Amino acid sequence: MSERYHAVVPAAGGGTRLGAPVPKQYLDLGGDSMLHRTIDALLAEPRLAAVVVVVSPDDLRRPAQGRFDARVRFAGVGGATRADSVAAGVEQLDARAEDWVLVHDAARPGLSAVALARLIDEVGDDPVGGLLAMPVADTVKRCDDDGRVTATVDREQLWAAQTPQMFRVGLLRQALSGERLGITDEASAIEKLGLRPRLVRGEPANFKVTLAEDLQMAAALQQKGAA
Ligand code: CTP
Ligand code: MG
């Protein structure tokens, strides 16, 4: 039997940088929560067999399970860091080691079906796995503690990582099993094993909602998509 595809959505963060009264994944984006939009973006892909949404154990805002497609399951196993939440979510999967897991931030509601399909198509036969990312377009500066430029960094080989990040369940479990200090995304955990994840072109609309101004942009794009 061929391998299956699963998704884990880390949604246990507090949204400190955005600074809203509720965690950002519960903010409204044109009539539905950001989390709901993100889950719907994943469900558009028929190859995904299951979507595990990781929320905090004490999260009373998690939506009722029944509102979603039967592929969706909420798990109150979120941890102190994103990597902890992802590691706990992967353990919730009913998956074999050779199956694929796509980890996608709850805070990226703008993922298109096209970009999601592209990731699966391009990484589906890769020995390591890969992630959506964008080539860095701006000139990049390094700075000192005073906010003054000390160097211009060659952007030729620089990409900004997005999600989903797609790896085999067994490999990701191994990568996340030890000390998780300094692990920001799944790819960085895989890199620590000495492996090189494949970069697949993402899209600008798949940015992460981090600050209050990002929310306005996300709402505007959702409206445009619905029009
Ligand atoms: N996340 C998580 N568990 C954590 C921290 C983050 O599941 N302990 C999730 C967030 O809910 C989000 C994704 O990881 O969907 C990306 O994290 P980030 O954008 O940093 O979200 P927050 O941690 O909520 O925001 P902030 O860092 O501003 O507090
Ligand atoms: Mg965070």
Side-chain angles (χ1 to χ4, degrees):
M1 204 180 131
S2 67
E3 66 274 322
R4 293 174 303 171
Y5 300 89
H6 310 260
V8 167
V9 178
T16 334
R17 283 170 290 177
L18 197 138
V22 298
K24 61 191 176 186
Q25 56 272 24
Y26 294 117
L27 294 174
D28 180 81
L29 279 184
D32 239 326
S33 70
M34 186 186 310
L35 180 57
H36 202 147
R37 300 269 181 212
T38 301
I39 293 170
D40 279 347
L42 289 168
L43 291 174
E45 171 54 63
R47 285 174 286 186
L48 282 183
V51 179
V52 167
V53 183
V54 180
V55 296
S56 290
D58 54 357
D59 188 349
L60 301 175
R61 288 190 189 83
R62 74 164 96 164
Q65 184 93 41
R67 280 185 65 191
F68 292 91
D69 186 295
R71 288 178 287 168
V72 178
R73 190 156 54 83
F74 285 83
V77 296
T81 67
R82 181 182 177 284
D84 291 341
S85 297
V86 170
V90 172
E91 290 313 312
Q92 296 290 314
L93 293 174
D94 178 18
R96 296 162 304 186
E98 67 270 24
D99 285 349
W100 290 100
V101 55
L102 287 79
V103 179
H104 184 56
D105 290 327
R108 293 183 189 271
L111 174 68
S112 75
V114 172
L116 177 54
R118 184 161 61 234
L119 178 70
I120 294 176
D121 291 343
E122 292 193 20
V123 175
D125 59 357
D126 195 278
V128 177
L131 62 148
L132 291 183
M134 291 298 290
V136 171
D138 294 323
T139 297
V140 177
K141 304 293 187 187
R142 196 182 301 284
C143 72
D144 61 16
D145 291 344
D146 296 331
R148 292 192 162 275
V149 174
T150 57
T152 297
V153 181
D154 181 11
R155 67 163 180 246
E156 198 55 41
Q157 295 184 318
L158 290 183
W159 289 62
Q162 297 187 336
T163 69
Q165 304 203 354
M166 171 173 162
F167 296 99
R168 299 215 185 250
V169 170
L171 181 64
L172 188 59
R173 279 192 177 136
Q174 183 195 340
L176 294 174
S177 63
E179 173 60 64
R180 289 193 280 268
L181 209 67
I183 290 181
T184 51
D185 61 354
E186 293 61 57
S188 65
I190 300 291
E191 291 155 41
K192 280 195 173 183
L193 298 177
L195 299 169
R196 292 185 290 173
R198 180 188 292 207
L199 292 165
V200 175
R201 183 176 284 266
E203 56 194 350
N206 186 31
F207 65 90
K208 182 160 70 70
V209 176
T210 304
L211 306 171
E213 47 264 48
D214 299 331
L215 194 65
Q216 290 163 17
M217 177 75 84
L221 286 172
Q222 290 287 346
Q223 239 170 2
K224 200 164 150 264

